Amino acid sequence: MDRRSFLSSAAFGAVGAALTACGGGGSELALGGAESSSLTTSLAAARISTVVKSRVIVIGGGMGGATVAKYLRLWGDGISVTLVERMPTYTSNIMSSMVLTGQRSMSSLTFKYDTLRSKYGITTVFGEVVAIDPVGVKVTLADGTVLAADRIVMAPGISFDDVPGLNGSNKMPHAWQAGPQTTLLASQLAALPSRGVAVLSIPKTPYRCPPGPYERACLIADWLRVNKPGSKLIVLDANPGIVTEVDNFTYAFMGLHGNVIEYHANAEVTSVDPASMTLITTAGTIRGDVINMIPRQRAGALVATAGLNNATEGRFAGVNVLSYASTVSGADKVHIIGDSSATTQPKAGHIANQEAKVCADAISRILSGGAPDPAPVTNSACYSTITMSQASWLTAVFRYNPTALAMVPVAASSAASTGWNSDSFEEMSTWFNALMADSFA
């Protein structure tokens, strides 16, 4: 199967597989099914060239970085790939809210790079990137090592705005990057007294995973109902209202969890006082026993260091979505994918996986003397845990619009569940396993 057909079938196949598998429920299969993914990648892996014709450096080993590294090796003609990552393992943000309720362990969300090395011949370098030369196409590491390549792909994820008054305190963890803060927030919730008050803040858009804060609120509310009778969860939304799955989350907040959740729109946190566990917001002063303070977000710090944060109020990187090359003058050999890029697609793990494939396809074509696919298609889908045993789903397909120079939703191929059920919750694990298997081989 050629790359163009593969990308298109991945988008529409995933949606079709989702609706068929659920019988009206939802799923997110990055390649239109785990079996077809395994077959396609194993056949292609056997044909990977050992002759080096060009070099690509990938910065960041998350969903986008791992996927683009793998598919550059699968689809490229003699492309040597070096993946630079700070940590020797990756911890998935997807499903991490279930650690807060004790339904998932951190170890179940941890993935290694062993198969990317052994099966696909990717070189891994564990270190800190401190500088990027977009013109010279070079990367400098903290230890002084300089790496050179024909192309650089950046997938550094997100960074967070400083919250006035927080000053590095761990009393109000965001837990929006899975890791120590996830464990910390879980322990704080476990210690919440009965009839206690928990607070969750939702930042202004755009942020990582649009449904994420709302589904976390639902999950925590259901857990509080069972484990902390009489407790309350105050949700402070900096946006004018719920930004996604409006019907489902409105019904969940006001109906199902109405005795636990107290929702405030247009409630932006302006400063905090960790000593008194107080938030100063545009809707007044709020105090809580446990505070999940999720700050406003921007591209990974390295994007600003390289001078590539030229979109969305200087928060994210403008890119040409045909190849995800930077739109900064002279930086077109640097490609930015995942949460750091500014596109019309949601910032989410599934989209990072999809952007990575479009980017890998484009770079493979360019390095072989061709041009990027002029009509890429991607798809986005996710589950939202409405209770500890039920989930809703949402899916959308995006197609490149040459007039808008952007990826636009294909209405006929987009859908959402009406309500939630236990079947979707059970299928969530199948979706997660397929997506992570594709990204991390």
Side-chain angles (χ1 to χ4, degrees):
M1 180 183 293
D2 62 48
R3 292 191 297 271
R4 174 71 182 278
S5 299
F6 185 87
L7 288 165
S8 298
S9 66
F12 291 104
V15 177
L19 299 180
T20 301
C22 298
S27 183
E28 174 189 63
L29 298 179
L31 298 173
E35 291 182 2
S36 62
S37 166
S38 177
L39 177 60
T40 302
T41 56
S42 62
L43 289 174
R47 298 193 298 269
I48 292 175
S49 173
T50 58
V51 178
V52 176
K53 298 182 180 180
S54 54
R55 300 180 185 276
V56 176
I57 297 169
V58 178
I59 302 171
M63 301 293 294
T67 304
V68 76
K70 170 183 171 180
Y71 282 93
L72 281 167
R73 291 291 291 153
L74 280 173
W75 292 339
D77 181 12
I79 299 177
S80 171
V81 178
T82 299
L83 175 64
V84 184
E85 166 57 41
R86 287 176 292 184
M87 304 298 293
T89 59
Y90 171 73
T91 303
S92 170
N93 297 294
I94 303 172
M95 309 280 268
S96 64
S97 286
M98 296 182 72
V99 174
L100 306 179
T101 57
Q103 295 173 274
R104 276 264 179 180
S105 66
M106 293 300 292
S107 61
S108 74
L109 303 176
T110 302
F111 298 86
K112 298 181 179 180
Y113 302 100
D114 296 353
T115 305
L116 292 178
R117 283 191 296 267
S118 63
K119 185 174 181 179
Y120 300 98
I122 294 166
T123 299
T124 53
V125 174
F126 298 114
E128 183 83 23
V129 175
V130 295
I132 293 173
D133 177 357
V135 178
V137 199
K138 296 178 181 179
V139 170
T140 302
L141 306 184
D143 64 4
T145 301
V146 177
L147 305 175
D150 298 285
R151 296 275 161 166
I152 296 171
V153 180
M154 298 180 66
I158 56 171
S159 59
F160 299 90
D161 282 5
D162 292 330
V163 180
L166 193 57
N167 298 324
S169 170
N170 63 2
K171 295 186 71 175
M172 300 178 179
H174 56 71
W176 215 238
Q177 285 180 325
Q181 286 207 6
T182 310
T183 304
L184 174 60
L185 182 57
S187 66
Q188 291 177 346
L189 285 168
L192 181 74
S194 293
R195 309 193 70 82
V197 176
V199 182
L200 183 151
S201 73
I202 302 174
K204 285 184 176 179
T205 57
Y207 58 80
R208 167 181 283 168
C209 188
Y214 303 102
E215 72 159 341
R216 177 177 287 184
C218 288
L219 198 61
I220 291 175
D222 198 39
W223 183 86
L224 290 175
R225 176 185 60 81
V226 174
N227 296 279
K228 305 288 180 178
S231 296
K232 179 169 66 173
L233 174 64
I234 300 175
V235 178
L236 304 174
D237 194 341
N239 301 289
I242 295 170
V243 301
T244 186
E245 290 191 66
V246 177
D247 290 343
N248 281 340
F249 285 123
T250 298
Y251 181 49
F253 279 22
M254 308 305 173
L256 179 66
H257 301 307
N259 292 331
V260 179
I261 292 179
E262 179 183 310
Y263 175 75
H264 299 269
N266 289 309
E268 182 178 2
V269 176
T270 57
S271 64
V272 304
D273 179 11
S276 62
M277 292 295 284
T278 301
L279 304 177
I280 309 302
T281 82
T282 54
T285 300
I286 303 292
R287 187 195 173 280
D289 299 300
V290 173
I291 296 179
N292 180 196
M293 173 69 221
I294 306 174
R296 199 172 183 196
Q297 293 154 35
R298 58 180 66 238
L302 196 57
V303 172
T305 299
L308 304 177
N309 54 330
N310 62 331
T312 322
E313 303 173 349
R315 290 181 173 274
F316 297 96
V319 295
N320 177 343
V321 292
L322 292 180
S323 66
Y324 291 88
S326 171
T327 54
V328 172
S329 178
D332 58 331
K333 291 184 179 180
V334 178
H335 305 253
I336 303 127
I337 59 174
D339 295 341
S340 280
S341 65
T343 78
T344 53
Q345 301 159 109
K347 298 183 183 302
H350 181 78
I351 278 292
N353 172 283
Q354 294 280 289
E355 290 180 356
K357 291 169 184 170
V358 174
C359 181
D361 177 56
I363 291 175
S364 298
R365 291 168 185 256
I366 291 168
L367 292 179
S368 295
D373 183 346
V377 176
T378 62
N379 77 94
S380 171
C382 67
Y383 286 96
S384 294
T385 47
I386 305 299
T387 73
M388 291 189 289
S389 60
Q390 295 182 316
S392 62
W393 58 267
L394 177 69
T395 188
V397 171
F398 297 84
R399 183 185 296 277
Y400 181 70
N401 183 307
T403 302
L405 303 179
M407 303 297 290
V408 299
V410 180
S413 300
S414 303
S417 66
T418 301
W420 45 86
N421 57 53
S422 57
D423 288 344
S424 292
F425 188 90
E426 291 177 2
E427 288 156 2
M428 185 164 54
S429 291
T430 301
W431 150 73
F432 178 71
N433 292 338
L435 179 62
M436 303 312 286
D438 180 49
S439 296
F440 291 90

